[in-house]
Amino acid sequence: MGAVRGNQPQATVRIFCRYPATAWILPLDRRQQRAALAAMLAAAEQANVPVVPPAVELHLVDDAVMSAANRRSMGCQGPTNVLSFPGGCDSPGTLLFSLDTLRRECLLYGQEPGEHALRLLAHGMAHLCGLDHSEQMDAVSDYFMVVAAEAVA
């Protein structure tokens, strides 16, 4: 898996803010979020994954929204950091990203917020690419994180 360099097309990524405090709580601005996700989409073509999403939608949410989605889709109580909903041939994959959980995990685990945000986005993108928790998913997530970090630098 070689790194993808250069400007990535931005039209394949859409970001929706469902959290009023996004400006101060998210360590990456919209341009960086878009660049990171676009780089991961481009890298998916070279990553030998089962599915390459045609596009991705990122929804920035709070723990209340994430808890409801987690309960409905996974049958789990409480919030999680990221949920992935694969799209279809012509429909984008969707990522729900809890900013409350991001901040809490950074405090609990001593994570740098920007790096942890990229790690969670890479994990979610690997799920959108049809991977479940495995060594292959870990390798693809690491690859996505590298290309995303280059894209936001």
Side-chain angles (χ1 to χ4, degrees):
M1 292 181 279
V4 175
R5 299 185 190 283
N7 292 332
Q8 304 301 330
Q10 302 293 310
T12 57
V13 175
R14 294 177 57 194
I15 300 171
F16 300 92
C17 180
R18 309 282 189 238
Y19 193 101
T22 302
W24 70 268
I25 206 167
L26 186 64
L28 305 171
D29 64 35
R30 284 185 185 244
R31 182 198 58 77
Q32 291 172 313
Q33 295 166 46
R34 202 170 277 113
L37 290 169
M40 288 183 221
L41 276 175
E45 296 284 344
Q46 301 174 13
N48 193 29
V49 294
V51 177
V52 177
V56 65
E57 292 183 351
L58 174 64
H59 294 260
L60 304 171
V61 301
D62 62 14
D63 273 354
V65 170
M66 184 61 88
S67 291
N70 202 19
R71 184 174 45 257
R72 276 192 316 271
S73 62
M74 304 297 289
C76 297
Q77 294 293 342
T80 189
N81 45 33
V82 65
L83 283 175
S84 304
F85 301 94
C89 295
D90 297 326
S91 59
T94 300
L95 295 174
L96 295 186
F97 189 78
S98 174
L99 299 178
D100 292 334
T101 300
L102 168 71
R103 287 309 235 189
R104 189 171 50 256
E105 287 179 351
C106 288
L107 291 172
L108 286 172
Y109 306 124
Q111 301 282 332
E112 191 279 314
E115 182 180 333
H116 192 51
L118 289 178
R119 182 178 299 110
L120 295 176
L121 291 174
H123 181 87
M125 183 64 77
H127 279 306
L128 291 182
C129 290
L131 298 172
D132 205 359
H133 297 146
S134 65
E135 288 182 17
Q136 181 189 11
M137 183 178 176
D138 292 343
V140 168
S141 293
D142 290 347
Y143 174 55
F144 284 167
M145 189 156 162
V146 168
V147 299
E150 289 177 358
V152 301

